[in-house]
Amino acid sequence: MDKLESKIKKISQITEKHYQLFLEADPSKNIIASYLDRAYKYELVCGKDLLGVILLIDTRPKTVEIVNLAVDERFQNQGYGERLVNFGLTWAKKHQYHTVEIGTGSTSFAQLYLYQKCGFRVVNIDTNFFVDNYDEPIIENKLVLKDMIRLRKNLD
């Protein structure tokens, strides 16, 4: 699929496909519900195919957080995740944010690589975040996910 044919646009109505992608990035319906209504919601589409999603929320003055980022499994490892992250950075700069933050699991090796490749730096670890905030254990890369790695990129 040609990246030039794909486009990122505001989500006008959340569909079941959108929600399934949200759950790929965050398996907690309760946590998704806590930020979904106040999120800036965008989708990456090509024709009728939904390739990915990105959700951003205001967290502090001049700071926005990417709280959900997912690419459909069929389209992973083709640069679409990087395109969505870069869209989020450009969007934040255009809207006068100074800082973009993102959190991911300590066992989310591909995501950690992607975010650092896009210029994010590790700033904090939320110890036991996933143990304390999720009802079921999350197994990722054959490890029990416990900690959230917090990353930040300053836009100034």
Side-chain angles (χ1 to χ4, degrees):
M1 188 162 299
D2 187 357
K3 284 183 206 146
L4 299 175
E5 294 175 18
S6 62
K7 62 183 177 182
I8 298 175
K9 61 182 187 150
K10 201 176 262 192
I11 295 175
S12 56
Q13 184 175 349
I14 295 172
T15 66
E16 184 61 31
K17 286 183 181 181
H18 290 109
Y19 202 77
Q20 287 306 313
L21 282 175
F22 300 155
L23 287 169
E24 286 294 316
D26 187 339
S28 171
K29 291 180 180 180
N30 290 335
I31 291 178
I32 292 170
S34 76
Y35 58 70
L36 191 56
D37 286 343
R38 61 190 171 111
Y40 304 102
K41 303 174 242 334
Y42 292 89
E43 62 185 354
L44 175 60
V45 295
C46 185
K48 293 184 179 189
D49 286 323
L50 174 61
L51 309 182
V53 293
I54 183 171
L55 304 179
L56 306 102
I57 62 167
D58 295 308
T59 56
R60 291 187 304 283
K62 303 293 181 186
T63 301
V64 67
E65 180 177 351
I66 298 171
V67 291
N68 196 296
L69 176 79
V71 174
D72 184 298
E73 190 176 339
R74 297 172 296 157
F75 304 108
Q76 290 177 3
N77 301 309
Q78 298 176 43
Y80 294 116
E82 185 173 358
R83 180 153 177 221
L84 284 164
V85 170
N86 287 328
F87 167 84
L89 295 171
T90 302
W91 180 93
K93 200 168 209 170
K94 179 181 169 190
H95 290 86
Q96 282 79 49
Y97 290 95
H98 295 284
T99 306
V100 179
E101 297 179 332
I102 195 163
T104 195
S106 58
T107 58
S108 304
F109 307 132
Q111 291 87 336
L112 282 165
Y113 171 75
L114 171 63
Y115 304 147
Q116 291 176 86
K117 180 179 171 185
C118 291
F120 286 82
R121 300 287 306 271
V122 174
V123 293
N124 196 13
I125 299 172
D126 289 344
T127 305
N128 287 327
F129 177 87
F130 294 98
V131 174
D132 295 341
N133 292 289
Y134 288 75
D135 295 332
E136 301 287 324
I138 300 170
I139 309 297
E140 185 177 46
N141 293 314
K142 299 180 183 175
L143 297 168
V144 176
L145 177 56
K146 296 178 184 174
D147 306 324
M148 178 184 286
I149 306 292
R150 306 283 308 154
L151 301 99
R152 178 180 300 143
K153 180 168 180 165
N154 294 320
L155 301 176
D156 309 316

